[in-house]
Amino acid sequence: MQKIMVALKRVLDYNVRVRIKSDGTGVTTDGAKMSINPFDEIALEEALRIKEREKGVEVLVISIGDLVCQQQLRTGLAMGADRAVLVQTDQILEPLTVAKVLKVLVDQESPELVMLGKQAIDGDNNQTGQMLAALWGRPQATFASELLIKGEQALVTREVDAGLETIEVDLPAVVTTDLRLNEPRYVRLPEIMKAKKKPLDIISLDELGVEAISQFQVVLTESPPERQKGVIVKDIGELLGLLRKKGLV
Amino acid sequence: MNRETLNFCDQLNINVVEVAHGIAQDASKYLEYAIDSVVARVAPDGFINSQLLETNQHAVHSLAWIATYVEVLLRTSDWADCLDRENRLGDLDQSMLVVIFGEYLQQLKNGIPMNQVETARPVDLGLESRVAECLSSNDIAQLENISANPDFRLAAVQQLSEREFESPIMGDETLDLVREQFRRFADEKITPHAQTWHDKNDLVPLDLIQELGEMGVFGLTLPEEWGGSSLGKLTMCVVSEELSRGYIGVGSLGTRSEIAGELIASSGTHDQKNQFLPGIASGEILPTVAFTEPDFGSDLAHLKTRAELVTRSSGDSVWRIFGAKTWITHAVRADLMTLLVRTEPEERGYKGLSILLAEKLRGNEKHLFPSEGMSGSEIEVLGYRGMREYEIGFNGFEVPAGNLLGDAPGQGFKQMAQAMESGRIQTAARSVGVARNALELGLRYAIDRRQFGKSILNFPRVYGKLLLMAAETIAAREVTYFSAREKDSGRRCDLEAGMAKLLAARVAWSNADAAMQIHGGNGFALEYSISRVLCDARVLSIFEGASEIQATVIARNLVNSRL
């Protein structure tokens, strides 16, 4: 293992109470706290743990978006990544375009492992990892809750509906990460200082030769309906009565 | 911007940020008159007359508070201006600016509560006519009216409760990253245990201290060549604030390293730096500050603990210490004391004082102070636990002759002054953290607690408290950050640091007190965190320069600037 590539998406911090734009075109991010997508952060943490176990592994972090995404890349560098690349674009990209961008970078960088979150907490698309594996023609192991590198193979435990499934994939491969894989580290102050000196390259989407395609359109974004007031029942009998009246049992 | 707030500012057609900026300038003029008034009272002959300074103490301290309030107006208008320029000024930020200006201008005109029982009024300085001249513009009346409007206040508190759990964003990549890490650390590793540590009077666990050391907390501002991170005082403020928001006992661990580190880094010899700084930075050496004596607290010039240089039979020279020190925080666990002693017995006052870097053995529950010539006992305290407080007696305790700080006898007081400036900034930041903790506890409780069929947040006397608590937390924070920025730019900032500490300590206490009031009877129960936060908040206006001492330092500084 020589190189791991990790994709980091900049998203609204999970603690921020999301507010919908008044015209329904999306959510407001103005002045709100932004963070690395938590699943991507878990992917980076796992990559760093592999790097710490197996000497000589380079960890490369990638983000796609406008210049402010450098902030998340610097965080990744402060966590321990060696190098960062920002693919600069003002457009909001769909998963297929993101996968194509990553594919171009994979061709340039030849990593043995590409890691990313199973989904981002903003769009919840859950597509990019799978699409990248298809474009690349390499194996994919999604929803990883455990990862073990054994020479040319990776043993990946996946969280599936029936329980846990362990599969073996040949490297190079794409692994997408689930919540229980690890708990990301705290960034140490000396590492923050070191991260300022690590390389962060910026290339534009055009330079990479990837065209942003748009296949779907957001029609409306709205808040979930407000929770209705409940009633307090005396006993099971009354509860069943009410449920029957509503035709629920 | 929220629709309700828009109504107020737009209907009146005022740009709050611009208006605030102008008002702060007018208030600065008022401050100049206040300084004139005090100069006339205490320095009629062109120098400060100590007797007059004391006789006019209430007026002198009133000046310190007026200056602090004007500083708040300047710093918060700068803060809003900066957010505005970066397109980050939110609806809540604007509301907070209105609340702080509305309230602080009223207080400047009608009386500033220095605490619950003493008020600084214009009449104390003979400034009644200046109020009319500087503090009665239409702009001021407008902001005061908006701030007092019940509909505005309701809208503002809605914004406040929506944004409840967000940290301030400073727009600086490094600072925001540091804050995020330490906030998470506090949420996960400190807050869940703080109540237990306080209740049981437990020391902060050593493995937590080790982890903080690994994260770089203790070497934060030390140069990289000595194992530090070469970060500035502003970063130190952010870290101290976030840790203290979790628990003051953890946020205060760094104070001792900060003071000892700064003393040694700025005044120590090369060998002393080499010997102590890397260990302080990593957290392996836990330092403590030993200045205060049983009979001399703020009056350090008279302290009596003495050090005698003697040559032992083996040929090496040592200082032998005789005397007593008190309020020594974390003393049992500490490995190193920065010990202020009288080395020149014939010199009186400050001149005979020196600082010794006194190494000691760590004690345990059974043997508190195993080092030879040293004994002591715990002082049980109301709050600010986690490190514990001790009184120590020295009877021939020995310190190698080479451990005289900077190898410079009689320089102790001078060496101390600069480090205390940093300590004061750090204490202001700790206070801001405690103030935030109290605010968050009060707000959370007000949202959750239902009485008379609704959340108590909806009652004006409840949200009125919370609005000012939130606004004053921002005020204290901005004055604190400003003093740190000044220090980082290499300027002396004892004036600003003093104001930051003075205000932040009062705000922490009033926030804790008001948050407890919101809790009602539950807040008085030991199981609720606010009962601890109240105890912890009380120490902030006492230690690291009591508020009354702080006010004297600030006022002296202002008067001296005229002489």
Side-chain angles (χ1 to χ4, degrees):
Chain A
M1 175 83 58
Q2 287 186 326
K3 196 186 283 185
I4 306 175
M5 192 166 112
V6 182
L8 305 179
K9 185 175 186 183
R10 175 183 165 96
V11 296
L12 261 181
D13 187 82
Y14 68 94
N15 270 319
V16 172
R17 206 167 292 187
V18 176
R19 280 175 293 177
I20 310 281
K21 283 184 189 164
S22 51
D23 60 4
T25 55
V27 301
T28 49
T29 55
D30 294 350
K33 189 174 164 220
M34 306 296 285
S35 302
I36 298 176
N37 171 39
F39 292 109
D40 294 342
E41 197 181 7
I42 290 168
L44 174 56
E45 175 64 36
E46 198 62 23
L48 295 172
R49 290 184 189 186
I50 295 169
K51 174 188 156 90
E52 282 156 7
R53 277 197 302 267
E54 304 188 14
K55 301 290 168 213
V57 177
E58 185 190 29
V59 174
L60 168 66
V61 283
I62 311 285
S63 195
I64 307 170
D66 55 21
L67 288 171
V68 287
C69 294
Q70 287 179 88
Q71 202 180 344
Q72 280 62 46
L73 289 173
R74 284 280 171 222
T75 305
L77 294 170
M79 281 175 72
D82 301 287
R83 192 155 65 83
V85 174
L86 170 65
V87 178
Q88 193 197 343
T89 174
D90 295 334
Q91 303 177 65
I92 294 171
L93 305 184
E94 291 178 10
L96 183 57
T97 311
V98 173
K100 284 180 177 172
V101 169
L102 293 177
K103 170 66 169 55
V104 175
L105 292 170
V106 161
D107 290 342
Q108 290 176 0
E109 299 283 348
S110 315
E112 286 89 348
L113 190 59
V114 176
M115 298 190 66
L116 60 169
K118 64 171 182 177
Q119 66 198 62
I121 61 168
D122 51 1
D124 278 342
N125 288 313
N126 194 337
Q127 296 175 11
T128 306
Q130 294 88 329
M131 286 175 168
L132 172 63
L135 292 171
W136 192 12
R138 295 300 310 170
Q140 56 175 297
T142 53
F143 316 142
S145 64
E146 221 182 306
L147 172 62
L148 197 65
I149 304 295
K150 290 175 86 180
E152 304 295 305
Q153 272 95 33
L155 265 185
V156 182
T157 304
R158 311 176 59 229
E159 295 192 351
V160 292
D161 289 345
L164 298 177
E165 174 190 72
T166 303
I167 60 171
E168 193 182 76
V169 292
D170 290 334
L171 297 175
V174 176
V175 172
T176 75
T177 52
D178 215 326
L179 198 63
R180 277 164 287 274
L181 179 60
N182 59 47
E183 277 179 39
R185 68 196 59 199
Y186 301 109
V187 176
R188 299 170 176 187
L189 294 169
E191 299 297 327
I192 292 177
M193 299 312 283
K194 275 187 217 154
K196 289 174 192 273
K197 293 167 201 150
K198 291 181 180 175
L200 193 166
D201 296 323
I202 300 174
I203 31 175
S204 72
L205 191 62
D206 296 342
E207 273 174 80
L208 276 191
V210 177
E211 195 192 339
I213 46 163
S214 177
Q215 299 184 103
F216 57 88
Q217 191 188 347
V218 176
V219 182
L220 182 66
T221 309
E222 56 187 346
S223 301
E226 279 216 22
R227 206 177 139 179
Q228 300 297 308
K229 207 176 166 189
V231 286
I232 294 175
V233 293
K234 277 202 302 288
D235 49 30
I236 300 287
E238 192 186 342
L239 174 67
L240 286 172
L242 281 170
L243 289 175
R244 277 198 199 99
K245 212 186 273 176
K246 286 179 180 280
L248 294 170
V249 285
Chain B
M1 202 182 200
N2 183 299
R3 204 170 300 118
E4 289 87 344
T5 344
L6 255 180
N7 279 343
F8 287 98
C9 302
D10 271 15
Q11 275 174 15
L12 298 167
N13 198 21
I14 59 170
N15 175 337
V16 185
V17 178
E18 220 166 83
V19 167
H21 203 71
I23 294 174
Q25 300 307 316
D26 292 343
S28 302
K29 265 181 246 155
Y30 180 72
L31 173 61
E32 292 302 313
Y33 289 127
I35 301 173
D36 291 343
S37 161
V38 171
V39 168
R41 278 158 210 256
V42 306
D45 305 317
F47 57 88
I48 293 181
N49 178 321
S50 304
Q51 188 53 52
L52 288 174
L53 193 73
E54 194 179 308
T55 316
N56 291 288
Q57 201 167 55
H58 188 95
V60 170
H61 288 193
S62 296
L63 170 63
W65 278 99
I66 291 169
T68 303
Y69 268 43
V70 172
E71 188 72 10
V72 165
L73 301 182
L74 289 167
R75 296 314 142 215
T76 51
S77 64
D78 282 354
W79 158 75
D81 195 37
C82 174
L83 288 180
D84 198 22
R85 272 186 278 115
E86 291 172 9
N87 273 326
R88 299 193 290 119
L89 184 72
D91 43 12
L92 179 62
D93 303 321
Q94 295 197 47
S95 300
M96 290 289 106
L97 189 68
V98 170
V99 171
I100 199 75
F101 268 66
E103 183 62 33
Y104 272 32
L105 285 160
Q106 289 284 8
Q107 291 188 15
L108 273 168
K109 292 195 284 193
N110 301 307
I112 300 169
M114 299 195 282
N115 51 52
Q116 291 98 319
V117 292
E118 290 168 293
T119 307
R121 298 191 173 89
V123 68
D124 296 321
L125 293 171
L127 291 173
E128 299 93 316
S129 63
R130 302 305 183 186
V131 166
E133 181 187 332
C134 308
L135 303 176
S136 305
S137 66
N138 286 338
D139 282 348
I140 290 178
Q142 240 176 353
L143 278 199
E144 285 170 351
N145 284 336
I146 301 176
S147 171
N149 184 309
D151 295 331
F152 162 79
R153 295 172 76 80
L154 193 59
V157 82
Q158 274 162 4
Q159 296 153 4
L160 183 67
S161 60
E162 267 174 29
R163 305 281 292 261
E164 178 183 13
F165 294 112
E166 286 178 35
S167 302
I169 298 173
M170 297 171 78
D172 176 288
E173 208 173 271
T174 306
L175 289 170
D176 289 336
L177 174 56
V178 168
R179 185 187 295 281
E180 187 187 322
Q181 296 304 314
F182 283 91
R183 183 187 165 104
R184 209 178 100 212
F185 186 88
D187 285 344
E188 291 168 5
K189 303 218 159 174
I190 301 172
T191 306
H193 310 292
Q195 201 68 3
T196 312
W197 292 335
H198 170 82
D199 285 346
K200 294 188 174 169
N201 192 25
D202 278 347
L203 289 166
V204 173
L206 277 175
D207 51 1
L208 189 88
I209 295 179
Q210 193 189 338
E211 204 169 342
L212 288 167
E214 285 164 6
M215 284 180 76
V217 172
F218 305 125
L220 203 149
T221 57
L222 287 175
E224 280 173 89
E225 57 173 319
W226 302 115
S229 299
S230 296
L231 286 156
K233 302 292 176 194
L234 188 56
T235 316
M236 176 196 70
C237 283
V238 170
V239 171
S240 303
E241 182 186 328
E242 292 300 328
L243 293 177
S244 301
R245 176 181 159 271
Y247 182 41
I248 181 84
V250 175
S252 302
L253 284 165
T255 317
R256 270 133 284 281
S257 314
E258 178 69 24
I259 293 176
E262 173 132 359
L263 276 173
I264 299 169
S266 58
S267 303
T269 63
H270 186 84
D271 284 349
Q272 288 167 350
K273 290 178 190 174
N274 203 18
Q275 189 182 351
F276 296 113
L277 290 182
I280 291 175
S282 70
E284 277 161 69
I285 297 178
L286 293 178
T288 189
V289 179
F291 293 169
T292 305
E293 297 187 0
D295 294 329
F296 305 101
S298 305
D299 182 19
L300 282 177
H302 292 96
L303 61 79
K304 285 198 291 206
T305 297
R306 64 185 202 279
E308 295 168 4
L309 194 60
V310 294
T311 308
R312 287 200 296 206
S313 49
S314 55
D316 33 323
S317 303
V318 293
W319 295 99
R320 284 219 173 106
I321 319 293
F322 299 91
K325 292 283 175 187
T326 193
W327 293 113
I328 311 306
T329 308
H330 219 191
V332 163
R333 261 197 196 154
D335 307 294
L336 174 71
M337 298 177 284
T338 49
L339 187 58
L340 187 66
V341 290
R342 193 166 293 283
T343 51
E344 326 283 294
E346 60 290 346
E347 289 281 3
R348 304 186 122 210
Y350 300 130
K351 285 184 182 164
L353 301 178
S354 305
I355 291 174
L356 297 179
L357 303 173
E359 294 170 273
K360 62 174 273 296
L361 298 171
R362 271 190 201 191
N364 55 39
E365 298 283 345
K366 278 194 182 138
H367 302 285
L368 295 182
F369 297 100
S371 292
E372 192 93 9
M374 186 179 182
S375 58
S377 58
E378 185 181 346
I379 306 168
E380 291 186 35
V381 287
L382 197 57
Y384 186 51
R385 298 173 180 171
M387 291 181 287
R388 297 190 190 152
E389 300 294 322
Y390 300 90
E391 190 164 23
I392 301 176
F394 297 103
N395 190 9
F397 172 77
E398 290 183 353
V399 181
N403 287 22
L404 173 66
L405 180 64
D407 210 11
Q411 297 299 307
F413 201 79
K414 226 164 103 184
Q415 293 166 336
M416 197 182 76
Q418 197 185 355
M420 292 312 277
E421 197 174 272
S422 297
R424 217 166 289 150
I425 297 173
Q426 205 266 356
T427 303
R430 284 188 280 168
S431 307
V432 173
V434 173
R436 264 179 66 200
N437 191 3
L439 166 66
E440 288 172 13
L441 289 171
L443 183 56
R444 183 74 260 167
Y445 191 86
I447 292 169
D448 291 344
R449 175 74 171 173
R450 298 181 69 83
Q451 290 284 281
F452 308 106
K454 54 183 174 180
S455 153
I456 63 168
L457 181 70
N458 294 298
F459 294 103
R461 283 294 306 280
V462 173
Y463 68 68
K465 289 181 179 67
L466 290 164
L467 279 182
L468 193 64
M469 287 159 73
E472 284 200 294
T473 305
I474 292 173
R477 190 185 75 200
E478 289 310 313
V479 176
T480 303
Y481 290 173
F482 180 75
S483 67
R485 287 193 183 100
E486 286 294 286
K487 183 94 179 168
D488 284 338
S489 329
R491 285 186 283 273
R492 278 304 296 267
C493 65
D494 38 1
L495 178 65
E496 291 81 2
M499 295 195 286
K501 200 265 169 187
L502 180 70
L503 179 71
R506 194 197 69 184
V507 171
W509 171 246
S510 55
N511 274 12
D513 190 31
M516 177 174 274
Q517 188 70 20
I518 290 168
H519 277 70
N522 281 341
F524 203 59
L526 292 182
E527 70 173 286
Y528 278 80
S529 300
I530 190 61
S531 67
R532 163 181 57 85
V533 175
L534 185 90
C535 296
D536 288 341
R538 192 61 191 85
V539 78
L540 298 165
S541 52
I542 300 173
F543 70 6
E544 290 281 335
S547 292
E548 291 76 5
I549 297 295
Q550 216 69 256
T552 300
V553 173
I554 294 165
R556 258 183 179 278
N557 216 308
L558 292 168
V559 171
N560 272 328
S561 68
R562 285 294 179 76
L563 303 177

